[in-house]
Amino acid sequence: MKKRKGRGPFRAKMYGEGPPKYRNRGNYPPNPRSRLDDDDGDIAMSDAHDTVRPRFNPYSRGGRKRDDRQVRDRGNSHGNTSRDTPHHPRIEPREDKSWYKVTIPHGKKYDKGWLIGLLQSACTLPFTPAGYYCDHSRAHFFVEDSAIAKALKQISRTFTDRENFKVTILICPCPPPEIPKNMADEEIVHVKNCMQKRYDGAQQALNMKSVRTDTDLVENKVDLILNRKTCMQAMLQIIEENVPELLSLDLSSNKLYKLDHMSEIHLKAPNLKILNLSDNLMRSEKELDKIKGLKLEMLWLDGNPLCNAFKDQTVYISAMRERFPKLLRLDGHDLPPPITFDVETPTTLPPCKGSYLATDDIKALVLRFLQHYYTCYDSEDRQGLLNVYHDEACCSLSIPGQNPSRCSLGEYFNRSRNIKRLRDPALRFKLLKHKRLNVVSFLNELPRTQHDLNSFVVDVTAQSVTLLCFVVNGVFKVEGQSNDPVRAFTRVFIAVPGSDGGLLLVNDEQFIRNASTEEIRKAFATPAPTPSSSPVPVLAPVPQDMVQAFSLFSGMNAEWSQKCLQDNGWDFEQAAQIFMKLKAEGKIPEVAFIK
């Protein structure tokens, strides 16, 4: 009788008959990592997939014959799928990306209301921004809907700001933001009571040291963290409404690491002279730039990491004095008095002078020329300027900047001859217009304009019998564009006497730039300007009815009739007498009668 072959430990493992730890586990011990977690640690495989699938064993009881199901499963593992094969679901981490962060590069320069209103009007879906804030040069806010985020992304660079720059919108998925909520009225009452308890009326001093641990606030469950915008603004608002005369404020030991939310403290407490910021967490002296509107005389900063950034005490004092020129004590130590140039008696600077026009004769000549020149320049056809340029005249135009995509003066960019930016000699020569016809043709290509004659400031820089050089500064509007943007210009004219007693331009150099806020505010103002603000008061509207009447009387064209009236102070009878006398003497040229 054949002896039955026994089963040893190896065969027990092979057939799944060994110890429990190997039972139903095939040829391998349990997988040491039975659950797969994602990066957040909150997603795991289901229990149905904890067990590692047994590999096919050619020496199992079934011999080399493979089960059909095993064949199908093996084929599926190589990418061959079958509709009958049970599909193991793909495991993907759960992502919470319902919130999106919206970033506007260079958005800090825009007013929040204007920017949000612009985006809301351009976006195809209505939205309410959450958590608006700025850092460096960018503006940020959050939206909660992916459809809104997509709609905002689609309008990126489809519209421009007030300076003709395209507004870029960047979208990024993000976790739900921590948006600080405004303090409740009840909490503000507790804060106000706490501040009242800590205020010293005799010294006009407020002690907010370690205010978060104040017993009254803790008992009433008010967490006053001054790094939070809402908390800092609440404190400043209480100061403004109750103690605007505050002289001393102690904010030490409050774990302050930034002063962004204190930037308006000079408006809330304009008399503040003493500030204690010691034992906080500020790392850079640049944080103090946010409160340099204060006129501090005493400052404490010891216990902040920023104090260790200075190599010696002299540099430290100099950096603080640069921000607070009137500083007398720093960290409790007296400082040498600041060097100032204050005078004992108050003085007032003389008012700014307007135009300089040398003599009355030159003044009349220049102003008459400018009236005629810009009347023609602002008309639909500038061909009339042919009469004011010399045959050998030169003309050029320049603007600041170089990059056309970022230039808000794009309509003048291709014609700009800014020699500081332009390096190509051939292009420099091409952009310098020579000869009268070329000059007027070039001026005709420029955008249509409307100049504010009351804004002109005229300075005569050189004069002789045969030459006159004068500079004109003013503002104008570019017509045909959105909102008719206001530009500022400086124009240098060099002129020689003309045959008709007027001026002929031999050189015309124009520089165009964006107008300042003050220039835009005063541009095209309705009230009549004062001599100090408008040094060219004679540039008033021409009485056309008087010009037409004199033209009918004298037979001269409108231009010569206007010139005769202007020379005689718009006195019709006197102008008529002078006309009759000059006509009898034959001194009026024939060109005056060509209409």
Side-chain angles (χ1 to χ4, degrees):
M1 183 176 179
K2 190 174 181 180
K3 187 178 180 181
R4 184 180 179 182
K5 189 174 182 180
R7 296 185 178 178
F10 177 78
R11 291 181 58 82
K13 294 180 184 179
M14 181 70 74
Y15 291 99
E17 299 175 359
K21 64 177 182 178
Y22 290 118
R23 191 171 300 155
N24 299 324
R25 296 288 182 176
N27 294 340
Y28 298 95
N31 187 358
R33 187 183 181 195
S34 62
R35 303 185 69 85
L36 301 179
D37 299 336
D38 68 345
D39 293 338
D40 296 329
D42 60 347
I43 307 299
M45 295 181 64
S46 65
D47 293 338
H49 297 84
D50 276 352
T51 305
V52 177
R53 180 187 302 277
R55 295 184 59 186
F56 169 70
N57 185 0
Y59 301 103
S60 63
R61 287 186 176 180
R64 293 183 179 271
K65 184 178 180 180
R66 301 181 182 180
D67 182 71
D68 292 338
R69 183 174 178 180
Q70 291 176 328
V71 173
R72 287 197 303 269
D73 290 345
R74 186 170 183 179
N76 291 335
S77 66
H78 287 79
N80 300 323
T81 61
S82 172
R83 299 181 65 181
D84 298 331
T85 305
H87 176 67
H88 296 281
R90 182 181 178 183
I91 300 169
E92 295 185 1
R94 174 175 55 81
E95 297 180 355
D96 186 7
K97 293 186 178 180
S98 59
W99 280 90
Y100 292 82
K101 184 178 182 181
V102 182
T103 300
I104 312 295
H106 310 289
K108 187 176 182 179
K109 64 180 180 180
Y110 304 133
D111 176 70
K112 175 185 174 182
W114 176 86
L115 177 61
I116 296 300
L118 182 66
L119 296 179
Q120 289 176 333
S121 62
C123 186
T124 57
L125 296 176
F127 70 93
T128 301
Y132 186 96
Y133 72 98
C134 296
D135 64 346
H136 303 292
S137 63
R138 301 169 298 179
H140 310 271
F141 61 88
F142 301 90
V143 294
E144 193 175 359
D145 193 338
S146 60
I148 293 175
K150 184 177 180 181
L152 286 170
K153 186 176 182 180
Q154 289 175 345
I155 64 172
S156 177
R157 299 185 63 81
T158 60
F159 53 92
T160 58
D161 60 13
R162 296 169 181 170
E163 298 178 353
N164 271 346
F165 289 114
K166 289 187 176 181
V167 178
T168 302
I169 303 173
L170 305 177
I171 306 293
C172 180
C174 67
E178 294 183 2
I179 302 172
K181 298 181 180 179
N182 293 331
M183 297 188 69
D185 294 339
E186 183 180 352
E187 292 179 318
I188 294 178
V189 170
H190 291 307
V191 173
K192 186 175 179 179
N193 293 335
C194 172
M195 293 173 63
Q196 183 178 3
K197 177 187 67 176
R198 289 167 169 256
Y199 178 67
D200 183 354
Q203 302 292 330
Q204 293 182 341
L206 179 61
N207 181 6
M208 299 294 284
K209 180 178 181 180
S210 304
V211 68
R212 188 180 182 184
T213 60
D214 186 89
T215 54
D216 291 344
L217 295 180
V218 173
E219 289 175 0
N220 291 285
K221 299 181 180 180
V222 178
D223 197 6
L224 190 64
I225 303 176
L226 295 183
N227 278 313
R228 291 180 180 173
K229 183 177 181 180
T230 53
C231 296
M232 180 63 75
Q233 286 183 342
M235 185 191 74
L236 294 179
Q237 189 65 29
I238 293 172
I239 291 175
E240 181 184 27
E241 294 175 356
N242 297 274
V243 285
E245 68 281 359
L246 187 69
L247 295 178
S248 175
L249 178 62
D250 187 349
L251 295 177
S252 60
S253 303
N254 277 293
K255 298 184 179 180
L256 289 172
Y257 62 89
K258 60 180 180 179
L259 301 179
D260 301 70
H261 310 318
M262 287 182 62
S263 58
E264 295 184 354
I265 190 172
H266 65 286
L267 302 176
K268 310 294 185 181
N271 299 324
L272 193 67
K273 298 289 188 289
I274 304 171
L275 181 61
N276 191 340
L277 294 172
S278 60
D279 297 320
N280 281 300
L281 303 175
M282 290 180 290
R283 296 184 175 277
S284 171
E285 75 274 11
K286 293 182 180 179
E287 292 296 326
L288 299 172
D289 292 338
K290 301 162 186 175
I291 59 169
K292 64 181 181 181
L294 292 172
K295 299 177 181 179
L296 294 180
E297 295 179 359
M298 300 183 188
L299 176 64
W300 279 264
L301 291 171
D302 53 317
N304 283 275
L306 67 86
C307 297
N308 301 324
F310 298 95
K311 59 182 181 181
D312 55 44
Q313 190 74 5
T314 304
V315 178
Y316 177 47
I317 295 174
S318 176
M320 296 305 111
R321 268 275 172 80
E322 183 180 350
R323 293 168 173 84
F324 308 105
K326 296 185 177 182
L327 201 62
L328 300 177
R329 289 176 64 87
L330 180 61
D331 296 335
H333 301 288
D334 291 335
L335 301 180
I339 299 175
T340 61
F341 296 92
D342 294 338
V343 293
E344 295 181 357
T345 57
T347 58
T348 56
L349 295 175
C352 180
K353 291 186 177 181
S355 298
Y356 174 73
L357 294 165
T359 65
D360 291 340
D361 292 338
I362 292 178
K363 176 180 178 179
L365 180 65
V366 170
L367 297 183
R368 183 169 65 244
F369 168 81
L370 292 176
Q371 178 77 52
H372 169 67
Y373 183 91
Y374 281 101
T375 300
C376 185
Y377 190 90
D378 289 342
S379 64
E380 293 295 327
D381 186 8
R382 294 171 178 164
Q383 290 298 324
L385 295 177
L386 287 169
N387 297 327
V388 299
Y389 282 95
H390 192 274
D391 289 339
E392 299 296 326
C394 290
C395 175
S396 67
L397 179 146
S398 62
I399 63 172
Q402 184 179 17
N403 189 345
S405 63
R406 306 193 63 166
C407 181
S408 58
L409 301 168
E411 63 268 26
Y412 296 103
F413 182 83
N414 292 331
R415 302 176 178 90
S416 174
R417 188 177 181 267
N418 188 336
I419 59 176
K420 186 176 180 180
R421 304 286 187 179
L422 203 60
R423 304 300 182 187
D424 186 358
L427 190 55
R428 281 187 181 182
F429 179 79
K430 180 181 177 181
L431 292 174
L432 179 63
K433 305 303 177 182
H434 187 214
K435 302 287 187 181
R436 179 177 59 169
L437 291 176
N438 293 332
V439 169
V440 177
S441 176
F442 169 72
L443 296 177
N444 260 324
E445 296 174 358
L446 299 178
R448 299 295 101 181
T449 57
Q450 179 187 355
H451 286 73
D452 181 8
L453 301 183
N454 290 330
S455 71
F456 284 12
V457 176
V458 185
D459 294 308
V460 174
T461 57
Q463 59 173 330
S464 67
V465 179
T466 58
L467 185 71
L468 182 64
C469 178
F470 55 99
V471 181
V472 183
N473 296 275
V475 298
F476 65 94
K477 284 184 178 180
V478 179
E479 297 181 349
Q481 296 186 7
S482 59
N483 301 326
D484 291 343
V486 177
R487 312 294 190 204
F489 74 94
T490 299
R491 205 157 183 176
V492 181
F493 291 116
I494 299 178
V496 296
S499 57
D500 59 354
L503 297 174
L504 282 179
L505 296 177
V506 295
N507 200 313
D508 175 10
E509 182 181 359
Q510 184 172 190
F511 180 79
I512 297 176
R513 59 177 174 82
N514 289 317
S516 66
T517 304
E518 185 68 15
E519 288 172 328
I520 294 174
R521 186 180 66 83
K522 293 182 177 180
F524 300 93
T526 304
T530 62
S532 60
S533 62
S534 176
V536 194
V538 297
L539 294 179
V542 177
Q544 295 296 334
D545 52 348
M546 185 183 293
V547 173
Q548 293 176 2
F550 195 84
S551 180
L552 292 174
F553 163 77
S554 63
M556 296 190 298
N557 57 39
E559 181 181 352
W560 279 82
S561 298
Q562 178 179 325
K563 185 181 299 184
C564 185
L565 288 168
Q566 284 179 336
D567 290 346
N568 291 278
W570 294 99
D571 188 331
F572 194 96
E573 294 181 1
Q574 181 179 343
Q577 293 175 5
I578 298 296
F579 166 76
M580 296 300 294
K581 179 181 178 181
L582 294 177
K583 184 178 180 182
E585 295 175 357
K587 293 184 178 180
I588 299 180
E590 296 181 359
V591 69
F593 299 94
I594 300 177
K595 296 185 180 179

